[in-house]
Amino acid sequence: MKKFIWFILLFFAQQSVAQYKDQLSAKVSVAINANLETYFFAERLAVEHINNIVFDQKGGDYDHQPIVHFGYQHFSPNVNSPVIIRISKLIEQVRNTYYDNGPILNYLINQKEFPATGALYSELPADPAHPEIKPVLAELTDSLRSFYKQANVGAFLAENARFYKGAIYEFAKDVDAPSFPALEKWHGKAFSQYRVFLTPGMPVTKGEDNYRGFGPSIMSPEGLIPGMITSSDKMLPLMPSLAQYQQFGFDNPNVTHFLTRHEMGHSFVNPLLDKYRTQIVGDSVLYTPQLKEILAPHYINDWFVCVTEHLVRLAEIRTAVSMKSFKEAERLRKFHIYEEKCVLLPLLEVKIKQYESNRKRYPTFESYLPQLVAYFHSLTPEMINAQIKKYK
């Protein structure tokens, strides 16, 4: 009888994370993913051996992030275990190649949730620039699955269901689900789903407005599924235990709006711009020293990224206009131009009206994109700098 009860409890612990999901519409969902949480618990232990990766630092103080703080306390007895030593070496290989953990997150989100094995839909292709990393990611995933079982991560997720569900509630209430069909209509393209994954276990450094978002490429039989992986974005005062928290780190409407609309918007724009990369990079003289100075603090470090970010933000503004959300459109203009320093947006808003008023000729954003690429090419460094003076 005792064995039977233990089996039921173990089954519940392993399956419970699948319940941490809110389906906001037929296409839009917000969820917790066991693979991602397991990775960040393991990463937090691994940096004690490899010193750092992204915002995770050896000996770091993450008491502003409850799951990071208490998760480390809970799993720290495993810090010198063989499986964590192995995971440390594998993470180090990825870090030394990409200086980032994004490829790890992308791989994990395309795998079935632990303790299951295998690809969620189909195996991702190897990165042509670093084909040697794909077997590293496969081995890391296998080691993380072992850590999930050995450290009983499923039980931790189940025991803290209230916290995880609270995080989903905080984030989901601020997601603008109607903006997704509006984005599709404006771009003339639709995706089968949009998935947001909250990672309360992802470390970020202490400070107001500190958070991290990452857009994975989820490949399904229906094609690309735009995704968003995001850390907590509010600093919380430390409480004695996870059970005592009444806030969960995701109650930040401005950040939620930005992450869901902006980052999902990249799924519409980035694959298209890749086809024009050579032409756009050829105009890099337009990334003037003055433009570099104002955009570098916003992690925009070259002309191609500058063009990409302008077009994604342009779509945000014009989608709001198409929804007759004129106050929101104006808020986005002020934010993207004056705070984020995307000073070419006023010029692009004038140009894009040609697309919006002639959808028979240009049924999709993709069909109009050559006109925009040509328009960027027509600009001069002097015109760029004049825009900077207007909106600096």
Side-chain angles (χ1 to χ4, degrees):
M1 184 64 178
K2 288 182 179 179
K3 288 184 178 179
F4 178 74
I5 292 173
W6 173 246
F7 173 78
I8 293 297
L9 290 173
L10 182 61
F11 178 81
F12 173 75
Q14 292 179 338
Q15 300 298 322
S16 60
V17 72
Q19 301 174 17
Y20 303 164
K21 179 177 180 180
D22 193 346
Q23 192 73 39
L24 305 184
S25 70
K27 289 188 174 185
V28 183
S29 64
V30 180
I32 304 293
N33 182 274
N35 298 3
L36 299 179
E37 285 297 278
T38 301
Y39 168 73
F40 283 112
F41 294 143
E43 182 192 271
R44 183 71 193 87
L45 300 176
V47 296
E48 297 303 309
H49 299 283
I50 65 171
N51 295 319
N52 65 81
I53 181 171
V54 192
F55 298 116
D56 204 344
Q57 305 288 328
K58 180 178 181 178
D61 179 8
Y62 296 94
D63 61 6
H64 56 288
Q65 291 183 285
I67 291 291
V68 181
H69 177 78
F70 287 102
Y72 179 71
Q73 287 188 358
H74 181 87
F75 294 109
S76 59
N78 299 277
V79 68
N80 292 315
S81 65
V83 69
I84 288 297
I85 298 297
R86 176 64 175 154
I87 286 170
S88 301
K89 298 297 184 183
L90 295 165
I91 291 176
E92 189 174 36
Q93 289 183 62
V94 178
R95 183 199 65 186
N96 293 346
T97 300
Y98 291 100
Y99 305 99
D100 190 39
N101 59 12
I104 298 173
L105 307 185
N106 197 60
Y107 192 89
L108 288 173
I109 209 65
N110 279 277
Q111 297 290 306
K112 294 176 181 176
E113 283 195 70
F114 299 151
T117 61
L120 185 61
Y121 297 112
S122 59
E123 288 293 341
L124 291 176
D127 176 3
H130 297 286
E132 75 281 3
I133 293 298
K134 184 175 180 181
V136 175
L137 295 174
E139 175 61 27
L140 176 58
T141 300
D142 186 61
S143 295
L144 287 168
R145 188 180 297 106
S146 296
F147 172 69
Y148 175 93
K149 295 175 181 177
Q150 292 175 24
N152 207 357
V153 175
F156 181 87
L157 298 175
E159 289 164 6
N160 296 291
R162 176 182 164 276
F163 193 101
Y164 283 107
K165 290 179 180 179
I168 289 176
Y169 172 78
E170 284 186 341
F171 191 92
K173 68 181 175 57
D174 295 321
V175 175
D176 183 14
S179 67
F180 288 90
L183 270 171
E184 292 182 342
K185 184 176 180 181
W186 192 84
H187 284 96
K189 180 178 178 59
F191 293 99
S192 61
Q193 299 177 55
Y194 301 90
R195 298 180 184 176
V196 179
F197 299 97
L198 308 186
T199 49
M202 183 194 295
V204 293
T205 50
K206 187 179 294 185
E208 291 306 311
D209 293 323
N210 280 2
Y211 59 89
R212 186 188 180 205
F214 173 77
S217 300
I218 306 170
M219 302 308 299
S220 78
E222 292 77 35
L224 174 70
I225 297 175
M228 183 71 233
I229 297 170
T230 179
S231 70
S232 59
D233 49 47
K234 290 196 75 172
M235 309 295 113
L236 299 178
L238 181 64
M239 303 290 285
S241 71
L242 282 172
Q244 293 177 263
Y245 283 87
Q246 301 301 316
Q247 294 179 303
F248 308 98
F250 290 85
D251 190 9
N252 197 331
N254 288 339
V255 171
T256 298
H257 287 165
F258 175 75
L259 285 172
T260 50
R261 288 190 297 207
H262 177 83
E263 296 299 336
M264 294 295 189
H266 276 282
S267 298
F268 291 93
V269 173
N270 288 34
L272 304 181
L273 283 183
D274 281 339
K275 301 174 184 177
Y276 298 89
R277 182 179 289 272
T278 300
Q279 186 175 344
I280 293 170
V281 170
D283 289 330
S284 291
V285 67
L286 298 175
Y287 195 66
T288 67
Q290 293 92 325
L291 189 60
K292 179 179 180 179
E293 180 182 356
I294 64 170
L295 288 179
H298 304 282
Y299 306 100
I300 299 175
N301 295 308
D302 60 52
W303 178 241
F304 185 83
V305 175
C306 177
V307 170
T308 303
E309 290 296 334
H310 272 80
L311 292 183
V312 172
R313 293 159 201 255
L314 175 67
E316 288 180 65
I317 295 168
R318 299 312 299 179
T319 296
V321 171
S322 74
M323 299 171 70
K324 303 191 184 304
S325 300
F326 300 116
K327 288 185 178 179
E328 176 63 5
E330 188 57 27
R331 184 191 72 81
L332 288 168
R333 288 188 188 99
K334 290 179 179 178
F335 175 69
H336 289 314
I337 297 170
Y338 292 96
E339 294 187 39
E340 298 295 303
K341 303 302 181 183
C342 289
V343 296
L344 305 182
L345 282 170
L347 299 177
L348 292 170
E349 275 210 79
V350 173
K351 179 66 177 176
I352 203 64
K353 290 177 182 178
Q354 182 184 43
Y355 164 63
E356 295 173 342
S357 63
N358 198 353
R359 293 298 293 269
K360 287 187 177 179
R361 181 177 180 183
Y362 304 109
T364 65
F365 180 74
E366 182 176 12
S367 66
Y368 186 72
L369 188 55
Q371 306 298 320
L372 287 173
V373 173
Y375 178 70
F376 279 113
H377 181 69
S378 74
L379 299 176
T380 65
E382 292 74 21
M383 294 169 70
I384 299 288
N385 291 338
Q387 285 296 109
I388 295 172
K389 288 182 181 179
K390 285 183 182 180
Y391 300 105
K392 190 170 182 180

